[in-house]
Amino acid sequence: MFLFFFSIPFGLLIWIGALICLFIKKSKLKWYLLLISSWTLIPVWSFVSGTRDYFQGNAAIETFGLPGREFYNLDPDLRVWNSTSGCIVMGFEPFTQIPNNLAVRFWTSLLGIQKGAYTGAYPTKEQAKEMVSNGEQASVSKQVDVYVLSYKNQYLTLRSHHYSDIVVLQKTSTVRATVVNNECLLIETTPDSTQRVIMLAEKSNGRIFARYYENQTR
């Protein structure tokens, strides 16, 4: 019943009812039902999996549904990526995703941001708009499969985390750029580009970790 979304509510109710009955009867079988049931094992495994990912530097906050364009931004508080299982909901997502997310939040609050994550400046959308408005014109050029930004006599290869990051640079040769605290590179495409967007990248390696689109709050 755990595997099929249409039977999950009934399966869970039956399991809870059986567990309550066994506790009332003080039967030892309740421990078998509690410890080796998928209703217990799957959430526990999901928590363990989230814990493993945190310590390996691969943690992500999981959800479902069709995401907006800014969904794939690095979480500004947890500094982990967001992940979606897609539009088709099977029903068991709360048993797999919630425990994973609890593990990520728990270890981050206890031990801090996971290793390898970006920990530098992370302006909000409004802050980024204001900062980049005072930036300087910079050139961007495509070299094989990457884009190189020329900014203040520095050349930085922009690295994409999500496929849409680099696509917006295909039809523009100039951008407006500025640097925050020598950590965060802000890049705004010019009005003649296909999409008006502000991209945030790590100055040290050019990895894009967030993008802010016009007329979108999330």
Side-chain angles (χ1 to χ4, degrees):
M1 288 182 172
F2 182 88
L3 297 176
F4 301 99
F5 70 94
F6 54 82
S7 64
I8 278 182
F10 304 104
L12 182 59
L13 288 175
I14 292 171
W15 180 75
I16 292 175
L19 194 62
I20 292 173
C21 182
L22 292 175
F23 266 98
I24 292 174
K25 292 183 177 182
K26 298 181 179 179
S27 171
K28 292 182 179 179
L29 293 176
K30 63 179 177 290
W31 301 114
Y32 292 100
L33 185 62
L34 184 63
L35 297 177
I36 64 175
S37 168
S38 60
W39 303 104
T40 303
L41 291 178
I42 297 300
V44 169
W45 169 248
S46 298
F47 186 91
V48 172
S49 177
T51 298
R52 178 201 60 199
D53 290 343
Y54 168 83
F55 284 100
Q56 291 180 347
N58 299 319
I61 292 296
E62 298 177 348
T63 187
F64 55 84
L66 180 65
R69 291 184 296 179
E70 295 179 10
F71 171 82
Y72 294 101
N73 290 357
L74 187 71
D75 187 281
D77 299 316
L78 301 173
R79 300 302 174 97
V80 300
W81 302 112
N82 294 300
S83 173
T84 178
S85 57
C87 299
I88 300 177
V89 180
M90 299 303 298
F92 52 71
E93 286 81 3
F95 300 94
T96 57
Q97 295 178 350
I98 291 178
N100 171 85
N101 298 345
L102 286 174
V104 174
R105 295 182 186 280
F106 171 76
W107 291 113
T108 301
S109 64
L110 184 65
L111 301 178
I113 295 171
Q114 66 177 346
K115 65 178 182 180
Y118 171 71
T119 59
Y122 196 151
T124 64
K125 190 170 190 173
E126 293 305 316
Q127 290 172 338
K129 285 182 179 179
E130 183 179 353
M131 291 173 177
V132 80
S133 66
N134 298 318
E136 300 182 8
Q137 291 291 323
S139 62
V140 60
S141 60
K142 185 175 182 180
Q143 298 184 10
V144 191
D145 294 326
V146 299
Y147 285 86
V148 176
L149 177 72
S150 175
Y151 174 71
K152 290 188 175 181
N153 298 320
Q154 300 180 57
Y155 294 93
L156 189 62
T157 300
L158 299 176
R159 307 178 188 280
S160 175
H161 166 67
H162 187 249
Y163 71 90
S164 64
D165 290 336
I166 300 299
V167 172
V168 298
L169 298 175
Q170 286 183 345
K171 294 184 178 181
T172 185
S173 59
T174 60
V175 295
R176 187 178 296 277
T178 189
V179 174
V180 182
N181 296 344
N182 202 33
E183 298 171 323
C184 176
L185 176 66
L186 302 182
I187 307 164
E188 182 182 32
T189 57
T190 52
D192 61 343
S193 61
T194 55
Q195 284 184 317
R196 193 73 180 272
V197 58
I198 299 175
M199 292 179 285
L200 283 63
E202 298 179 48
K203 183 177 181 295
S204 59
N205 56 25
R207 182 176 63 169
I208 298 169
F209 62 85
R211 76 269 332 131
Y212 296 136
Y213 292 89
E214 282 190 333
N215 303 320
Q216 182 166 319
T217 58
R218 177 64 181 163

